[in-house]
Amino acid sequence: TPAREQSMKRRPSQSQAADRAAWSIEEFAARYGISRSRVYQEIAAGRLKTSKIGARRVVTAAQEAAYLVKIGG
C-alpha cells in the first residue's frame, strides 16, 4: 500500500545503518516506524528475509538492503 511504502522510505541515516550488522524484529520495526505485526506480514509474504541466531529472529543489513530494493525504497 502507498502508506506502507511511504513509511518504509523513511530510511535511517547511513551512520545508523553502518553501526549494526543485524536488528531484532522490534528494532527493525522501530527503525521504519511500522508495527511488529507489519514486519511479520512482510516476512510471511516473502518480501522480507530474516535469519535466526539461536532463538532470535533478526534482519541483517544485507536483508534490509534487499528488502528496500524489493519495495522500491
Side-chain angles (χ1 to χ4, degrees), residues 9-24:
K9 288 182 181 177
R10 285 185 267 144
R11 284 188 78 171
S13 71
Q14 290 294 348
S15 63
Q16 289 174 324
D19 291 344
R20 303 279 297 271
W23 295 268
S24 70

Side-chain angles (χ1 to χ4, degrees), residues 25-64:
I25 298 301
E26 292 79 9
E27 291 168 334
F28 184 83
R31 283 169 60 81
Y32 291 98
I34 59 174
S35 68
R36 287 178 53 236
S37 296
R38 171 56 69 186
V39 175
Y40 285 112
Q41 288 171 355
E42 294 297 299
I43 294 166
R47 290 184 287 268
L48 176 61
K49 303 293 182 199
T50 61
S51 299
K52 295 271 294 206
I53 299 177
R56 292 183 62 205
R57 182 167 299 281
V58 298
V59 179
T60 66
Q63 291 164 331
E64 174 189 40

Side-chain angles (χ1 to χ4, degrees), residues 1-11 32-34 38 42 47 67-73:
T1 66
R4 176 182 59 84
E5 290 174 10
Q6 276 302 97
S7 69
M8 293 305 292
K9 288 182 181 177
R10 285 185 267 144
R11 284 188 78 171
Y32 291 98
I34 59 174
R38 171 56 69 186
E42 294 297 299
R47 290 184 287 268
Y67 176 68
L68 293 174
V69 168
K70 280 184 184 177
I71 66 164

